[in-house]
Amino acid sequence: MTRVLIADDEPLIRVGLRAVIDSEPDLEVVGEADDGAAVLPLVRTLAPHVVLMDIRMPLVDGIQATRQILTTVPDPPKIIVVTTFESDENVYAALRAGAQGFLLKRSRPAEIVQAVRVVASGESLLFPAAIRTLAGRFGGGAAPLGRPPGLPLGAANLTQREADVLRLMARGRSNTEIAGELHLGVQTVKTHVGNVLTKLGARDRTQAVIAAYESGFVS
């Protein structure tokens, strides 16, 4: 059972997300927060696998709450940012802070359920076109938000195969899809992905892909 925490200051949004998630036999909402300030204590108490995190909340926003979780919780949950506008600079800041992906508030129920399952399985919820646009608009001026250690990409010393894997990651390919395109075993791809993350100093696939776009490695 995948345990989900919902953080949003709008009661109607929380009710709607709960109804969608609790309707699935393998998903369960274990708690709700109406502000980012309440998220960290609930994460420690309820141990959710996934947090659906609104960005704009009155006291502590979703970016701050994401950073708090990922820097203080030993085995942190996966975080999906829930937003109204995908081109928002705050979405990009949340992704750079460590969120595994984002969802629009107008997403269909099936898309919400799939997103939770994807990140719970260890994959990142990547939308290559959106991330490319965000990196183009906000990447150059994003230094105050903090850059993951180990960048820029030019100093990462990726092997040719690792570079191939990173390019496909940036196109939103899963490990299975990468394995098929490169004629490799899935476990071999997982090893390459792990090496890429280590060399980039990236926490996850999303941060690696952002690094690839910001550095110009992928355009």
Side-chain angles (χ1 to χ4, degrees):
M1 182 71 74
T2 298
R3 300 161 57 84
V4 180
L5 175 67
I6 299 170
D8 198 296
D9 63 336
E10 297 182 43
L12 283 177
I13 297 293
R14 296 200 306 272
V15 169
L17 289 173
R18 176 181 280 273
V20 168
I21 292 166
D22 279 344
S23 68
E24 299 297 318
D26 59 328
L27 307 178
E28 175 189 16
V29 175
V30 295
E32 298 180 13
D34 62 3
D35 189 82
V39 175
L40 183 58
L42 287 175
V43 166
R44 288 175 169 159
T45 302
L46 302 173
H49 300 112
V50 177
V51 177
L52 294 178
M53 183 83 76
D54 186 21
I55 290 183
R56 289 185 171 87
M57 291 181 282
L59 298 178
V60 174
D61 64 31
I63 302 168
Q64 293 175 280
T66 295
R67 290 197 185 107
Q68 289 173 356
I69 291 169
L70 296 179
T71 57
T72 64
V73 177
D75 186 18
K78 308 297 184 183
I79 297 173
I80 301 173
V81 172
V82 183
T83 180
T84 303
F85 305 106
E86 68 180 31
S87 60
D88 189 340
E89 182 176 6
N90 290 318
V91 173
Y92 194 64
L95 295 176
R96 296 180 92 251
Q100 276 71 35
F102 68 89
L103 276 173
L104 296 177
K105 290 190 176 183
R106 63 176 181 270
S107 296
R108 297 189 300 271
E111 294 171 332
I112 296 169
V113 168
Q114 178 64 13
V116 171
R117 289 176 176 146
V118 165
V119 299
S121 72
E123 297 280 353
S124 292
L125 190 67
L126 290 173
F127 298 99
I131 289 179
R132 180 172 62 248
T133 300
L134 289 167
R137 292 185 62 188
F138 307 118
L145 302 175
R147 176 181 288 275
L151 304 178
L153 188 65
N157 298 317
L158 299 180
T159 66
Q160 183 60 53
R161 185 59 82 189
E162 290 164 356
D164 292 339
V165 168
L166 179 55
R167 289 188 185 95
L168 291 174
M169 288 166 59
R171 291 166 61 185
R173 301 291 193 269
S174 67
N175 287 347
T176 301
E177 290 168 335
I178 293 172
E181 293 198 34
L182 298 181
H183 307 290
L184 299 172
V186 174
Q187 189 56 50
T188 300
V189 171
K190 289 181 179 179
T191 299
H192 286 315
V193 170
N195 291 340
V196 168
L197 298 185
T198 298
K199 290 182 177 182
L200 297 184
R203 180 181 291 109
D204 54 36
R205 295 168 80 102
T206 302
Q207 286 198 334
V209 169
I210 287 174
Y213 281 116
E214 286 189 350
S215 67
F217 179 80
V218 175
S219 61

